Each structure stands twice: as C-alpha cells, then as structure tokens.
C-alpha cells in the first residue's frame, strides 16, 4: 500500500443514501490520500471548508530499550492553515458488521475528489462508491486463520520447521548455494550472449 496522509473531514460531505443507511457515522473516519507529501501527516478540512495542517516539532529521545536506541518525541503541535491549490483525491474503506446479526458484514468504500484554491474548498464530489457483502470474505478469513493456527500446532511444525536450526539449514546450506549457482549461470549466459 505504501505511505499516505490522512484527512479528517468536519465539512459536510455529500453521501449517497445507500451509504447513509449502512455507515453509522462517516465523519468518525479518517480518509486517506496520496496527493500530499505521503508522510503519514494529518490534514483537516474544517466546517468552513478551510484546509488545515497539523504541524509538529520533534526532538530525539535516547532510550536504550527502543529499537534504534531512541525515538522522536513530539515537543510542539499546532494546527495551521495549509495553502494548497489543486485537486485532492481522498478515500475511505470500512467493514461494518450488522448490529443484529454479527455474522453479516458489509464493505463500504467511498472515493471523493475535492478542488482547493489557496487552501479553501471550491468543490467536492463523489468520485465513486461501492457497497459489497463481506460476510463470505470474513468467513473465509476466519477459516484460513484457524487452519493456519492448527498447522502451526502440529508437532513437526512446532518442533522442527519453526525452529532456528531448520531456518539456518534452509537459508545457509540449501538456498545460499542455489542462489550463488544461479548468479554464476546468469553471468556465464550474458558472457556467451555478449561474445557469441
């Protein structure tokens, strides 16, 4: 999927009637977009149609228990206007379970296109939306996860295939020589192609 940015919408969005019936509150969702810097930042579209940006300042904190022996901590956070001029595509995807029948579920995806002029919303429209039954997909996912957990508990997987010793043998003794042989054969092939 890659990196993206988030947009929180306080502005009233156009919604199809089918989506209103299914989704309890679309404004609780944060939409995703790839039309900004794709640095996992938060943008806000307020009630007046102004585009805002959550600006943060960070400093490095040394911590020996952390993965990189430290982490970035937020020291200051403020909401500032974002002077954007152009078109932004933002979207959300959500799976909603039926409150009465917990086995039934629905996938809803909505895609919006918004036009901004100097950080002010000019126009917003629904690009597309889809409503699909997710019951079968979730059942298959649950069965697959149960099967995977069952296979992981089998004695030969638990005590042989999922051990460091087996992974070492597989990687260093079996796969590494095959990879080196493949590289050698590739070089021989290209030398033959080049000089013949």
């Amino acid at each position: 999927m890659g990196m993206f940015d988030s947009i929180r919408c306080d502005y009233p969005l156009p919604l199809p009637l089918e989506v209103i019936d299914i989704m309890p509150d679309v404004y609780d969702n944060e939409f995703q977009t790839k039309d900004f810097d794709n640095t996992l930042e938060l943008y806000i579209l307020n009630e007046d149609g102004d585009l805002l940006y959550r600006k943060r300042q960070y400093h490095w904190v040394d911590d020996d228990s952390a993965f990189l022996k430290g982490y970035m901590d937020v020291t200051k956070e403020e909401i500032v206007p974002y002077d954007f001029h152009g078109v932004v595509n933002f979207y959300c995807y959500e799976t909603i379970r039926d409150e009465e029948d917990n086995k039934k579920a629905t996938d809803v995806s909505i895609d919006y296109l918004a036009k901004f002029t100097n950080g002010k919303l000019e126009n917003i429209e629904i690009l597309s939306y889809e409503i699909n039954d997710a019951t079968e997909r979730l059942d298959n996912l649950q069965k697959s996860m149960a099967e995977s957990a069952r296979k992981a508990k089998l004695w030969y997987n638990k005590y042989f295939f999922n051990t460091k010793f087996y992974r070492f043998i597989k990687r260093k003794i079996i796969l590494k020589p095959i990879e080196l042989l493949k590289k050698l054969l590739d070089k021989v092939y290209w030398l033959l192609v080049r000089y013949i």
Side-chain angles (χ1 to χ4, degrees):
M1 182 178 179
M3 300 283 279
F4 58 89
D5 290 311
S6 297
I7 297 179
R8 189 181 76 213
C9 283
D10 300 327
Y11 187 83
L13 298 171
L15 287 171
L17 291 176
E18 297 97 354
V19 174
I20 293 173
D21 292 340
I22 296 171
M23 290 184 86
D25 191 5
V26 73
Y27 299 105
D28 286 345
N29 295 330
E30 280 189 359
F31 296 87
Q32 292 183 3
T33 183
K34 291 186 174 279
D35 291 339
F36 295 130
D37 295 331
N38 297 333
T39 55
L40 301 177
E41 292 293 339
L42 176 66
Y43 294 84
I44 301 162
L45 181 58
N46 69 8
E47 303 90 10
D48 301 326
D50 297 322
L51 187 61
L52 307 172
Y53 170 68
R54 182 178 65 186
K55 185 177 180 182
R56 289 180 164 180
Q57 291 179 353
Y58 299 92
H59 81 279
W60 181 259
V61 176
D62 291 323
D63 184 3
D64 290 335
S65 64
F67 175 66
L68 298 172
K69 304 294 181 198
Y71 57 91
M72 297 297 287
D73 191 25
V74 178
T75 58
K76 185 178 177 185
E77 179 176 305
E78 60 182 331
I79 305 296
V80 296
Y82 189 64
D83 191 25
F84 179 78
H85 187 76
V87 177
V88 176
N89 179 359
F90 59 96
Y91 44 87
C92 79
Y93 177 85
E94 188 171 347
T95 301
I96 301 161
R97 290 205 178 262
D98 192 354
E99 292 176 1
E100 291 133 18
D101 186 6
N102 199 24
K103 292 187 177 186
K104 290 181 76 177
T106 306
D107 288 334
V108 178
S109 66
I110 308 174
D111 208 353
Y112 287 100
L113 197 63
K115 180 181 177 186
F116 291 93
T117 302
N118 298 326
K120 185 74 173 166
L121 181 67
E122 293 292 322
N123 184 24
I124 188 165
E125 61 186 42
I126 298 174
L127 200 57
S128 66
Y129 71 94
E130 281 187 40
I131 300 171
N132 297 317
D133 185 27
T135 308
E136 185 177 345
R137 180 181 63 82
L138 292 177
D139 287 344
N140 290 340
L141 178 64
Q142 194 170 19
K143 288 175 186 174
S144 171
M145 290 173 67
E147 179 66 17
S148 178
R150 185 192 68 77
K151 284 183 179 179
K153 290 180 182 177
L154 293 174
W155 71 269
Y156 50 83
N157 286 330
K158 192 173 186 179
Y159 298 110
F160 184 69
F161 290 117
N162 290 336
T163 61
K164 286 183 181 180
F165 175 73
Y166 174 76
R167 287 193 298 268
F168 173 79
I169 296 289
K170 182 179 174 183
R171 188 173 53 246
K172 297 290 184 183
I173 297 176
I174 298 171
L175 295 179
K176 190 73 170 181
I178 292 172
E179 185 180 317
L180 290 174
L181 181 63
K182 182 179 178 267
K183 285 181 182 179
L184 176 69
L185 291 175
D186 282 344
K187 287 182 181 181
V188 168
Y189 172 77
W190 284 110
L191 283 173
L192 289 173
V193 168
R194 188 177 197 182
Y195 294 113
I196 292 180

